[in-house]
Amino acid sequence: MLRIFLLALVVLALVVVVRTALYAPAAVEVTAPGESIDIDEAQVLDRLGQAIGFATISRQPPAPLDAEAFEGFLGWLEATYPRVFQSLEVRRVGGYSLLLTWRGQSAAADPVLLAAHYDVVPVVPGSESAWTHPPFAGRLADGYVWGRGALDNKNAVVALMESVDWLLARGETPARTVYLSFGHDEEVGGERGAAAVVEHLRDAGVRLAWSLDEGSFVFRDMFPGVDVPIATINIAEKGSVNMRIVASAAGGHSSMPPQQTATGRLARALVALEDNPLPGGLEGVAADSFDAIAPHMPLLPRMMFANRWLFGPVVEGQLESLPFANAMMRTTTAPTMLSASPKVNVLPIEAVATVNFRVHPRDKVADVVNYVEDLVAGEHVRVEASGGSEASAVADPDSAGFRLLADVVRREFPDAVVAPGLLVAATDTRHYGQIAEDALRFNPMVVTEAEVEGFHGTNERISAAGMVQGVRTYIRLLREL
């Protein structure tokens, strides 16, 4: 019996070793880099700084936007890129969004759409002094352009405009028609901007071969033990739904509290939600993404990924401890807003929490609502769901658009690993994807973990080198079309 057991262990070890040895980076044939692209780097960085100077803030509705800032930015765009505005068809959509049409050489080829947005989130009041440089100064310092919009997403607006202007100056025209869409309200849903662009194109009978909007970046130093940059091209994005968890109890004076208060009931409901997340797992897009990245990991994690049939629960447990990986594997739960009593000595009759759920492609909004109701709803706790949007369709990582973008990325970033990914936030692509065969989300710029922290946060910035290389990548992509 002992012999059989030892033999089984040997066989098991051999299987693990062989599978680990075979779990190697996939061989990829990369097109030759081609001629170098010489651009005016100082001009690119200066123009990004100028663009950041316009405080095109999307505040939480119903707060109005600052029309002067938005008009100022659009006026600056036209004055800075006159060749683009004279050569392309220009349409103002939804008030402040722009749709530019660059007619291609072939009317038979399906068009593509490249998108970005120029509205930004507010700076948290009181945090201004924590910024190394003022958030709307657009300052170039220490190898970075600093300010709100440097990463999200004026960098892409400027990079796309610089790319088109560079190509026009050399008399180049794309093989197929290219639409450029610059939204003004992405940070509040894109209903007046991107949605209106889609409506206009649909009415014109336009069907896109593919679209490309903001998404992940070329990440450097983001994955422990992985020395190569990871270029994650997102092929899907999560949906979302907000729910109000409302707990009730008797009111009165705080000097005589009941055994069960509304806030206590609400607290227990929130703890139950956090302790019982929706089921997840490493499958689908998340599995494809990590299968591209894991072969570049150190030996131990590579062995575990190569043998998920044996180490699957351990792998998933480790990934769940990383917020970004956990978000790729399941619908996430995030209590974001709380309200209860209006006064310190008054017991609230109702205590309310707003909880934001980012819906994984495996789930439906209705299923998430049912899960939450089954978990926390009762005699004194009710769940109120408002609206919600389903997760996007999943684009084909073997599609012509994905393969073209991946090839261009590999040529500009030769040491990068290209992987499909799931965008855990929401973008205007949820609109553009309605008329595209495949909707992709990617920013062709290198960022590090420290720089990602500025996304919607303090000290938002992009490296000068990353911004410049982003322009070169867009130029090459437009040429390859």
Side-chain angles (χ1 to χ4, degrees), residues 19 22 32 95 128 170 179 249 253 299 317 339 363 376 383 391 396 402 409 431 449 465 473:
R19 289 180 64 90
L22 294 175
E128 294 84 355
R170 286 152 183 79
Y179 295 102
H253 200 286
L299 178 59
S339 64
D363 298 324
V376 302
V383 176
D396 183 1
F402 186 98
V409 169
H431 303 295
E449 184 176 10
T473 308

Side-chain angles (χ1 to χ4, degrees), residues 216-350:
S216 292
F217 295 82
V218 182
F219 293 118
R220 190 180 292 279
D221 303 327
M222 285 285 288
F223 296 87
V226 177
D227 298 327
V228 295
I230 306 297
T232 307
I233 300 174
N234 301 128
I235 58 176
E237 69 180 56
K238 292 176 122 180
S240 68
V241 62
N242 294 317
M243 298 184 214
R244 280 169 30 105
I245 312 299
V246 183
S248 60
H253 200 286
S254 63
S255 62
M256 296 179 290
Q259 289 185 335
Q260 296 282 321
T261 64
T263 50
R265 286 171 173 156
L266 178 62
R268 281 186 287 276
L270 295 180
V271 169
L273 286 172
E274 290 198 340
D275 287 348
N276 298 276
L278 278 92
L282 189 57
E283 59 185 42
V285 179
D288 292 342
S289 185
F290 279 102
D291 275 336
I293 298 167
H296 299 271
M297 292 179 177
L299 178 59
L300 182 59
R302 188 168 77 248
M303 178 191 71
M304 296 177 75
F305 273 97
N307 295 277
R308 290 205 299 273
W309 60 277
L310 181 61
F311 300 111
V314 177
V315 169
E316 291 187 3
Q318 290 296 311
L319 291 176
E320 286 173 354
S321 68
L322 302 172
F324 78 92
N326 181 61
M328 287 182 64
M329 295 196 301
R330 62 163 37 86
T331 295
T332 53
T333 304
T336 55
M337 301 171 68
L338 298 169
S339 64
S341 172
K343 196 171 184 297
V344 68
N345 61 350
V346 174
L347 292 168
I349 296 173
E350 287 188 339

Side-chain angles (χ1 to χ4, degrees), residues 401-477:
F402 186 98
R403 286 188 282 109
L404 174 62
L405 180 57
D407 182 64
V408 169
V409 169
R410 290 186 181 106
R411 288 156 68 181
E412 284 300 313
F413 307 89
D415 57 341
V417 174
V418 177
L422 171 65
L423 187 64
V424 298
T427 71
D428 275 341
T429 303
R430 63 187 176 279
H431 303 295
Y432 301 131
Q434 297 173 26
I435 56 170
E437 291 299 321
D438 288 287
L440 307 174
R441 305 151 183 86
F442 178 70
N443 299 279
M445 300 156 189
V446 173
V447 299
T448 65
E449 184 176 10
E451 292 154 21
V452 168
E453 291 175 0
F455 207 88
H456 282 204
T458 300
N459 283 329
E460 184 177 348
R461 64 196 185 277
I462 187 169
S463 71
M467 179 63 188
V468 168
Q469 195 158 16
V471 175
R472 290 196 178 99
T473 308
Y474 280 129
I475 289 171
R476 202 175 295 283
L477 178 63

Side-chain angles (χ1 to χ4, degrees), residues 7-366:
L7 180 60
L9 281 181
V10 170
V11 171
L12 180 64
L14 282 173
V15 170
V16 168
V17 168
V18 170
R19 289 180 64 90
T20 303
L22 294 175
Y23 195 63
V28 178
E29 184 178 341
V30 181
T31 308
E35 66 177 278
S36 61
I37 297 173
D38 184 27
I39 62 176
D40 188 336
E41 298 183 8
Q43 174 181 280
V44 168
L45 301 175
D46 179 63
R47 286 177 171 175
L48 176 58
Q50 292 180 42
I52 290 170
F54 295 90
T56 49
I57 300 171
S58 279
R59 303 186 186 279
Q60 192 67 23
L65 56 75
D66 180 352
E68 184 177 352
F70 282 77
E71 288 289 359
F73 177 80
L74 294 176
W76 171 85
L77 208 62
E78 184 171 1
T80 304
Y81 300 101
R83 183 164 35 224
V84 176
F85 277 77
Q86 291 163 12
S87 303
L88 276 62
E89 300 166 26
V90 181
R91 175 182 289 270
R92 182 88 77 94
V93 180
Y96 299 97
S97 290
L98 280 184
L99 176 64
L100 307 180
T101 305
W102 194 3
R103 294 295 173 188
Q105 300 170 30
S106 171
D110 288 338
V112 301
L113 180 142
L114 306 181
H117 68 90
Y118 70 91
D119 63 319
V120 300
V121 296
V123 173
V124 177
S127 71
E128 294 84 355
S129 62
W131 284 70
T132 302
H133 301 282
F136 291 102
R139 191 162 297 164
L140 174 62
D142 304 318
Y144 291 92
V145 179
W146 301 73
R148 185 60 91 218
L151 278 179
D152 186 22
N153 181 235
K154 284 178 178 173
N155 56 334
V157 175
V158 172
L160 283 167
M161 291 297 285
E162 289 287 328
S163 304
V164 174
D165 192 53
W166 190 93
L167 291 165
L168 288 172
R170 286 152 183 79
E172 299 189 34
T173 303
R176 67 179 73 211
T177 295
V178 176
Y179 295 102
L180 302 176
S181 181
F182 300 136
H184 76 280
D185 62 343
E186 189 273 347
E187 298 293 358
V188 289
E191 294 298 332
R192 292 180 58 83
V197 167
V198 168
E199 183 179 1
H200 167 75
L201 292 175
R202 184 188 282 122
D203 289 345
V206 172
R207 183 69 185 175
L208 303 169
W210 50 275
S211 64
L212 176 63
D213 196 4
E214 64 171 332
S216 292
F217 295 82
V218 182
F219 293 118
R220 190 180 292 279
D221 303 327
M222 285 285 288
F223 296 87
V226 177
D227 298 327
V228 295
I230 306 297
T232 307
I233 300 174
N234 301 128
I235 58 176
E237 69 180 56
K238 292 176 122 180
S240 68
V241 62
N242 294 317
M243 298 184 214
R244 280 169 30 105
I245 312 299
V246 183
S248 60
H253 200 286
S254 63
S255 62
M256 296 179 290
Q259 289 185 335
Q260 296 282 321
T261 64
T263 50
R265 286 171 173 156
L266 178 62
R268 281 186 287 276
L270 295 180
V271 169
L273 286 172
E274 290 198 340
D275 287 348
N276 298 276
L278 278 92
L282 189 57
E283 59 185 42
V285 179
D288 292 342
S289 185
F290 279 102
D291 275 336
I293 298 167
H296 299 271
M297 292 179 177
L299 178 59
L300 182 59
R302 188 168 77 248
M303 178 191 71
M304 296 177 75
F305 273 97
N307 295 277
R308 290 205 299 273
W309 60 277
L310 181 61
F311 300 111
V314 177
V315 169
E316 291 187 3
Q318 290 296 311
L319 291 176
E320 286 173 354
S321 68
L322 302 172
F324 78 92
N326 181 61
M328 287 182 64
M329 295 196 301
R330 62 163 37 86
T331 295
T332 53
T333 304
T336 55
M337 301 171 68
L338 298 169
S339 64
S341 172
K343 196 171 184 297
V344 68
N345 61 350
V346 174
L347 292 168
I349 296 173
E350 287 188 339
V352 182
T354 300
V355 185
N356 177 245
F357 297 85
R358 296 296 172 134
V359 183
H360 194 277
R362 76 162 65 83
D363 298 324
K364 296 293 184 184
V365 168

